[in-house]
Amino acid sequence: MTLHLTDPADRDPADRDPADRDPADWENPALTGRGRLPARAYFFGYDSAELARTMDRRRSRGFVDLTGDWRFRLFDHPARVPAAALAEESEGWDTVRVPHLWQIDGYGRLQYTDEGYPFPVDPPRVPADDPTGVYQRTVVLPESPAGERTVLRFDGVESYAEIYWDGAYVGMTKGSRLSAEFDVTDVAHPGTNHLVVKVLQFSDGTYLEDQDMWWASGIFRDCYLLSRPAAHLADFFVRAHRLADGRAEVTLTTSAAGRPDVTWEVYDGERLVASCAVTPGTDATLVVEGARFWNPEDPYLYDMRLIVRGADGGVEHVPHRLGLAEVTIVDGRLLLNGTPFTMHGVNRHDHDDRHGRAVGMARVERDLHLMKQHNINAVRTAHYPNDPRFYELCDRIGLFVLAETDLETHGFANVGDLSRITDDAAWQTAYVDRIERHVLAQRNHASIVMWSLGNESGYGCNIPAMYRRCKDLDPTRPVHYEEDRDAEVVDVISTMYSRVSQMNDMGEHPHPKPRIICEYGHAMGNGPGGLAEYQRVFEAWDSIQGHFLWEWCDHGLVDTTDEGREYHSYGGDHGDFPNNGSFCVDGLVFPWQEPSPGLVEYKHVICPVRVDYADGVCTVTNGRWFTDLSDVVVVLETLHDGRVVGSRTLTPGPVPPGKAWSEVVHPDVAAHGETHVTARVLSTAAHEWAEPMRELGRYQTLVADRPRRTEAAVPRASVVAVSRASVAAEADGTSLVVTTPAADRYTVDLLTGDLSWRSRGRELLQEPPRVGFWKPLVDNHQQENDELWAPRFLSLMQTSTREVAWREQDGAVVVEVSSRVAPPTLDIAMKVALTWTLAHDGVHLAVAGEPVGDYRDIVPRIGLSFAVPRELRSVDWYGLGPGENYPDSRAAATLGRWHSTVDDMFTPYVVPQDCANRGDVRWAALTDAHGDGLAVRAADSGPFAFSAWPYSAAAIDAARHRTDLAPEDRVTVNVNHRVLGLGSNSWGSEVLDTYRVRFEPFRFALDLRSVSAAAPHHDEGIAS
């Protein structure tokens, strides 16, 4: 296999000529660089074996860190840059910290578009007034040994960069997320040197970099100098093959400069397991006995060292962490070291809420740790290569990588020709350059399971050219490209945003090649929903071997109000137009790296250990692909009406992948009420990314539901006849006042039917319960809103009360209210009947609805909303929890008795929207610091959905940022008979039919009770 050399003699001296060119270098797709060294594997040379073992590049040979303070000035046109600015230090310039993006530091304007280019489409030309940033810094160098080469490296510059050293033109590069190296030996000298980088925001390369993110520019990744001795390793490529007897055959190809002698060693810890001499330019092979192969569940790495000895006696030590991994395709299935697998993945952009794509490695590492903590085993580098250290981290902690190169031309969809330049041979050099540099840089990483040629760039002649070059450079891995819809060229067939039913059809009728879904479950705002249904399909079909949620992190950027309050901005917040608004806020992780409810849901959906309970037998199934369950324990908890009354721990032992283990268990079944068994799956293993006893997932089964004692039920109309106390009623004009022996006072407005309730010296209801069908819009319902709800003004529905009648009955007062809830301008409506039963110890409410008109499609909810005093901020409930859950997003929730606060329940979505829902609620109570407040309990119609917000629905709907929400003097409470599922239709799947709520007849009932710490508690069960 041929490898590139880095001998500077191979370069054309004319590459250093800075003369004007026509076309300009930044508008010439046939030119991808000048003076740039050939791409190579990411590695460093060290002066000793001890230093090499650290793998700390800062201690490598001649390493000089160039991050930090640079002088900077932004010009509005490349031609306005003075020649002197490229040759000498400029006075009065600003100082910026590199890595950075200059727009985030306040230079120029930020802009966000999903797919549209931010300038007129005229490839390869970009605006003549192209914003141009010039960076200057001083570099002090020591004397270098004879023959040593000094290399300048940039790991990320957007989008076009020219390099000058002491005024001499060194070269230029394109490909923003691809590393670039320049040999500066001939211009660098001992002492003080002057380095200048001229960066243009736009270039022909910009047409290849339209990747649904902020348009921003600068030196956004690390830059540094390194030294290479006269005789040095130029490149290497290592790959493994699993032999039938469990040994590993490892093949190494090297290239070198200066004719050195090369020795190859492989260590397992301190033990040398194999070694041999290597002749550069040829293949060398060694065998590792009793090999421990790499996989994401057990990411074992050997220490590989290359010792390079020159004729002058100089020695260079090059370390590499070697994972023994071989990816093959057999009978249409992907295999890792001979074992089939499925990737449970996410799409990840680089993003930091304070620095944009200038992401530090500490943040990258936390991203990857969070993925592992949430059972994710794969990441797609959407849609560009990452910092080289990212792949080292994935090798180390164990993540499959779908390694995508720096390519997306989505903006051409706006002109109706997505394939315009993808099918233009004049751009082939640029396309091929992007996969070539990517593969050469990263192909030694065990974590890379396949290459990806890019994203949403249509199809044409340049895709097969990229594929061929990719296979030339790495024939060992499969290649992916979603827009090759029938996998005519690539090795893996892929779709994005296919619905559950479509994925099932694809599983039933498999393609000859392995299948993945590279994007699905658009995680914008509250959601995504429907993941469990997707997962059941993925697990049903062997041919579906990967799924990648869109996407990992919200792209919000920290901004502040005039009062200094922080919020996260998105498209349109920076005076940018056109923009795609909050479409960049579509991640499973909030911008501040806190998991959203969607990520918690995904964790449980993809839990690798399944627990089932049926007929007294608990079965534990190992859903892992490579490792047994030696580290797993299952804690079984028995719950009576939500209270844990007992637990035991099961230890399945070394259950192999795909196998199950069972044990008979006999939970204590309650004499009355509900008995559940909850299984919490824990891992006892310690990792750098997790402590022992990490929860992998939880499952719950209803064991028994026995009738409750009558005395435990909340009084309702049907049982009020046995009450020992009666209420007193008096009509006063348009009001009906009802008092109880305990001095509670109900007041009913005889015109509207609204109820107020004074208990224990305060108004318990700040706003009366009213029937509603609207709730604050979630991002994933935007299309339903645009197509169904907004045209019918569902957010503006009005209540018109036609009749209020009351009577005394069995010691209580019954009030019947007839009303019509309808939007303006249309003749659709819901006729609503409310029946209040006002008793000495609480209120029973029965609600029924009958639709009018021809609309029977979906609505956001059917339920009640009211408000209670702001002091009632402590929340207890018996239902699904502990976190936010919805009908199609509840895998992470189990039934129990939970406690929270109104403020903690409110999920801080970047764009405020409906949140805080808890489903299957039997009862809920809001109380103050003294334990006084209001309880709501399910009646004959079964459990309800419940949420409580510190803001009104109208305020949440109107807010565009969290700082738009102001404290209110009340708590909004929603008690819903039915709530629409979430789906992921901001860009994905509609709500599945099972979870749809329609504008159809309904009937439900609730009990409300004033509670206090001294009164009998509200949690003794539910009405039966």
Side-chain angles (χ1 to χ4, degrees), residues 189-262:
H189 54 83
T192 302
N193 297 257
H194 185 62
L195 172 60
V196 176
V197 185
K198 176 183 173 183
V199 180
L200 276 64
Q201 178 168 0
F202 303 124
S203 69
D204 57 83
T206 305
Y207 285 103
L208 305 177
E209 296 173 0
D210 183 20
Q211 288 129 327
D212 185 8
M213 57 190 181
W214 292 97
W215 293 101
S217 317
I219 305 174
F220 66 94
R221 287 184 185 158
D222 284 6
C223 49
Y224 40 91
L225 293 168
L226 53 97
S227 296
R228 310 307 306 279
H232 63 265
L233 185 72
D235 199 3
F236 73 91
F237 178 28
V238 62
R239 55 268 189 207
H241 171 61
R242 183 185 181 98
L243 299 174
D245 56 3
R247 296 179 301 158
E249 180 183 77
V250 188
T251 302
L252 175 72
T253 308
T254 61
S255 63
R259 299 180 179 276
D261 293 327
V262 180

Side-chain angles (χ1 to χ4, degrees), residues 392-410:
E392 292 182 332
L393 284 170
C394 292
D395 289 346
R396 193 176 83 208
I397 70 173
L399 282 166
F400 284 126
V401 177
L402 175 50
E404 196 149 272
T405 197
D406 196 4
L407 177 64
E408 180 168 339
T409 68
H410 206 166

Side-chain angles (χ1 to χ4, degrees), residues 919-930:
D920 274 5
V921 175
R922 279 68 169 151
W923 56 257
L926 291 97
T927 54
D928 61 17
H930 305 291

Side-chain angles (χ1 to χ4, degrees), residues 43 76 107 121 146 258 274 302 379 389 447 544 822 836 953:
F43 64 85
D76 64 1
Y107 302 92
V121 176
Y302 291 83
V379 56
R389 293 168 292 180
S447 57
I544 302 174
W836 301 100

Side-chain angles (χ1 to χ4, degrees), residues 157-205:
V157 184
E158 185 163 339
S159 74
Y160 167 95
E162 293 175 357
I163 316 302
Y164 297 83
W165 193 287
D166 282 346
Y169 176 77
V170 174
M172 73 83 177
T173 187
K174 303 173 193 172
S176 298
R177 267 71 66 178
L178 295 162
S179 297
E181 291 185 327
F182 300 88
D183 189 327
V184 295
T185 306
D186 296 342
V187 291
H189 54 83
T192 302
N193 297 257
H194 185 62
L195 172 60
V196 176
V197 185
K198 176 183 173 183
V199 180
L200 276 64
Q201 178 168 0
F202 303 124
S203 69
D204 57 83

